[in-house]
Amino acid sequence: MIQKIEWKKLQNGSDIRGVALPGVEGQPVNLTPEAASFIGAAFGLWLSCRTGKDMEGIRVAIGRDSRLSGPTLLDAAAQGLQHMGVTVTDCGLCSTPAMFMTLVTEGFQFDGSIMVTASHLPFNRNGLKFFVPEGGLDHDDITALLDICEKGEFPIAVHSGKRETLDFLSVYANGLVDKIRRATGSELPLDGLRIVVDAGNGAGGFYAQKVLKPLGADTEGSQYLDPDGNFPNHIPNPEDATAMAAIREAVLQNHADLGIIFDTDVDRAAVVDNEGQEINRNRIIALLTAILLSEHPGTTIVTDSVTSSGLASFIQSLGGVHHRFKRGYKNVINEAIRLNGEGIDCQAAIETSGHGALKENYFLDDGAYLVSKILVQMAKLRREGRTIGQLIDCLDEPAEAAEVRFPILSKDFKSYGQKVLNDLLELVNQQPNWILAPDNREGVRVSFGKEDGDGWFLLRLSLHDPILPLNIESDQPGGVKIIAQHIHSFLSQYDGLDISPLTRLIQP
């Protein structure tokens, strides 16, 4: 049976992801309990080689989000670890950031941890994320794990590892409560504030009961806090328009001072202020920047490649340095760590998706920690009669924005996509009014003056999928269509691209 598993197809960058449940046509199950068991065993062997410990001396914590397949896959991975002699601590329903914190929290400090999650993906998907005390595993580490699975050469343990249970989510939540109290100098810093949470039926419902209420907040109006892997109300995703509309409506209907929304495993977050302003994507980066630059003047903020020109100006206006880098939360985190290693102070790495990692918090992308940081600032601003929304009042936002995604029809999609980008770069160099971004670190980003659309486009190759995403922003009404027309004729020459989304965009 092991030979029939296509191990490499389970790798998704620095995670493992696959189809865990049947029911969607054309998506056969490939992340089976058997596969999860072998992956768990491989992680135990990998940890033994890494630490130099016998597997009987290794301790691994494992948790899951609310997905329907979560309990089965968690149990299978735990059994794989136990078969190797590893002691397993089952944390049950948990968040991805909490699972990392099992490795660095005093009194616990496991050798490794696993989170069973697939973030915001559909109900039938699931996956595994892995951590060691230094942080999340990288792409090459996941490849090594799957190589171990493919070889199938596992030693036989003399004794099966023990299995214990632990409510670590409460430990993690108490840590956030303590941090907020210390930072504000108050036992009840949120007393008198109504704060609503939308967990989207993921793992984030704990934040209302275990963090906000002990700090004095009124959480009436919070919604979808109960875990439900069917996700019956909306996708738990701060980038999703329906999800953001749901938390915005909850804020306005309940006259709340703040709304909080998490993704399924709580490594991403967004907020809505008391006036119903959605603070996600560029706005959440701007808000975090304003907070961090008040604490660390002149620091560098690493973002992904699709952040707006207005955000760059905002960061610079506050005395910060904007370092735009590649898409992918591990990419921005690793770049921030690299900059600090070179002696450049960099306090944050954050994507427009809501993945926000702070230097003060192990560069862990932690939605609950990000929100807690915002709550501290909110409590301080209240003493001055100000709100968090006022911190980003001077953020210039585009008049229009659009994203279209072009499926690549070629089997060798990476080579084909790279050829398109190389050809585009040659074209840009021949066009006097096309201005190539000086910090072009991913794909091709081009700016245009007021007569040519007054904005920019970025064409890049998706990290893992056969897709070329195109992002366009413009500072004038109608500008997106003008910029789209600039690139449409170029892309139309490629038979291996489906550019119908762009054609629809430029149509009257």
Side-chain angles (χ1 to χ4, degrees):
M1 186 71 175
I2 184 171
Q3 289 81 10
K4 295 182 181 179
I5 298 173
E6 296 184 78
W7 294 105
K8 296 301 169 64
K9 288 190 176 180
L10 293 174
Q11 180 160 7
N12 185 273
S14 56
D15 300 334
I16 284 173
R17 285 185 180 174
V19 179
L21 291 176
V24 179
E25 187 177 353
Q27 296 185 15
V29 173
N30 63 348
L31 184 55
T32 61
E34 181 186 32
S37 179
F38 279 113
I39 292 168
F43 187 51
L45 183 57
W46 184 87
L47 281 174
S48 178
C49 294
R50 180 181 184 275
T51 62
K53 294 183 178 181
D54 292 336
M55 277 182 280
E56 289 78 7
I58 292 174
R59 299 169 63 241
V60 172
I62 185 167
R64 61 173 178 83
D65 66 19
S66 61
R67 292 178 175 278
L68 299 174
S69 57
T72 300
L73 292 181
L74 183 151
D75 185 62
Q79 287 186 31
L81 285 160
Q82 289 177 268
H83 289 159
M84 302 298 285
V86 174
T87 297
V88 178
T89 298
D90 182 350
C91 298
L93 185 73
C94 215
S95 72
T96 293
M99 290 313 302
F100 169 76
M101 294 303 293
T102 62
L103 309 178
V104 295
T105 300
E106 187 175 356
F108 297 93
Q109 298 169 319
F110 294 86
D111 298 290
S113 65
I114 303 173
M115 177 67 179
V116 181
T117 181
S119 188
H120 63 281
L121 292 183
F123 78 97
N124 66 322
R125 302 295 185 109
N126 216 327
L128 296 94
K129 291 185 176 183
F130 303 85
F131 296 99
V132 291
E134 292 76 20
L137 270 61
D138 285 318
H139 180 279
D140 291 348
D141 299 320
I142 300 300
T143 301
L145 284 185
L146 294 175
D147 283 342
I148 294 171
C149 293
E150 201 160 48
K151 292 176 182 176
E153 299 173 355
F154 296 99
I156 300 174
V158 177
H159 301 289
S160 180
K162 297 178 182 179
R163 184 159 171 181
E164 305 162 340
T165 60
L166 172 66
D167 176 19
F168 188 79
L169 194 58
S170 293
V171 176
Y172 167 78
N174 289 340
L176 294 176
V177 170
D178 182 61
K179 173 184 171 52
I180 295 170
R181 283 175 173 162
R182 284 186 286 108
T184 58
S186 171
E187 281 291 304
L188 299 172
L190 306 182
D191 187 33
L193 293 175
R194 175 167 290 184
I195 301 175
V196 295
V197 175
D198 184 327
N201 302 111
F206 77 94
Y207 199 84
Q209 185 69 32
K210 295 178 180 289
V211 179
L212 295 178
K213 285 191 175 182
L215 294 170
D218 175 0
T219 61
E220 184 179 350
S222 294
Q223 58 193 17
Y224 317 140
L225 302 183
D226 295 331
D228 184 343
N230 291 296
F231 306 127
N233 296 292
H234 62 68
I235 298 171
N237 182 3
E239 286 190 288
D240 181 70
T242 302
M244 290 305 297
I247 184 60
R248 181 178 185 273
E249 183 178 0
V251 168
L252 295 176
Q253 283 189 349
N254 291 281
H255 306 289
D257 298 286
L258 188 73
I260 300 167
I261 186 167
F262 296 113
D263 76 338
T264 318
D265 61 328
V266 202
D267 59 2
R268 295 187 294 134
V271 298
V272 174
D273 72 9
N274 63 313
E275 295 181 351
Q277 177 182 214
E278 298 176 10
I279 304 179
N280 63 347
R281 298 182 64 81
N282 287 292
R283 288 175 183 168
I284 195 74
I285 300 175
L287 179 57
L288 180 62
T289 294
I291 295 171
L292 289 176
L293 282 170
S294 68
E295 300 171 349
H296 306 277
T299 195
T300 294
I301 307 293
V302 177
T303 73
D304 59 356
S305 59
V306 300
T307 45
S308 69
S309 300
L311 177 66
S313 299
F314 179 83
I315 294 172
Q316 292 162 9
S317 73
L318 296 180
V321 177
H322 179 215
H323 185 90
R324 194 171 63 228
F325 198 60
K326 300 176 182 178
R327 289 277 278 181
Y329 73 96
K330 285 293 289 184
N331 286 332
V332 295
I333 288 171
N334 288 341
E335 181 68 358
I337 292 171
R338 183 189 72 81
L339 290 173
N340 280 290
E342 293 183 355
I344 300 170
D345 181 63
C346 176
Q347 291 293 325
I350 182 166
E351 276 198 304
T352 48
S353 64
H355 279 287
L358 305 187
K359 182 179 180 180
E360 66 187 55
N361 189 43
Y362 306 95
F363 273 118
L364 172 67
D365 50 323
D366 184 344
Y369 190 94
L370 176 64
V371 167
S372 298
K373 188 83 175 174
I374 292 170
L375 289 176
V376 169
Q377 190 68 25
M378 184 178 177
K380 291 178 179 179
L381 289 171
R382 183 167 61 148
R383 299 167 190 166
E384 305 170 11
R386 301 170 64 202
T387 65
I388 59 167
Q390 293 173 322
L391 292 180
I392 58 173
D393 276 347
C394 60
L395 173 66
D396 290 329
E397 300 193 70
E400 295 181 342
E403 179 178 282
V404 289
R405 301 165 71 83
F406 310 126
I408 302 174
L409 309 178
S410 170
K411 287 186 177 179
D412 187 4
F413 70 90
K414 289 189 176 179
S415 296
Y416 193 92
Q418 192 56 54
K419 177 179 173 10
V420 173
L421 294 176
N422 291 342
D423 292 348
L424 176 58
L425 191 57
E426 288 187 18
L427 175 65
V428 172
N429 291 329
Q430 298 168 9
Q431 302 295 319
N433 297 328
W434 293 32
I435 305 168
L436 187 67
D439 56 348
N440 195 75
R441 296 186 177 92
E442 178 180 34
V444 180
R445 181 165 174 146
V446 178
S447 297
F448 298 89
K450 292 185 178 181
E451 295 182 357
D452 294 298
D454 198 13
W456 56 270
F457 75 71
L458 170 67
L459 184 69
R460 60 184 177 87
L461 183 60
S462 173
L463 293 175
H464 312 297
D465 301 319
I467 290 171
L468 278 172
L470 173 69
N471 291 84
I472 307 175
E473 284 190 2
S474 173
D475 290 330
Q476 67 182 36
V480 162
K481 184 174 289 189
I482 294 171
I483 294 172
Q485 289 169 337
H486 289 323
I487 195 172
H488 182 268
S489 59
F490 164 75
L491 292 175
S492 62
Q493 64 182 301
Y494 295 95
D495 295 335
L497 281 183
D498 176 6
I499 66 164
S500 56
L502 187 62
T503 302
R504 289 193 293 271
L505 180 64
I506 66 174
Q507 286 174 345

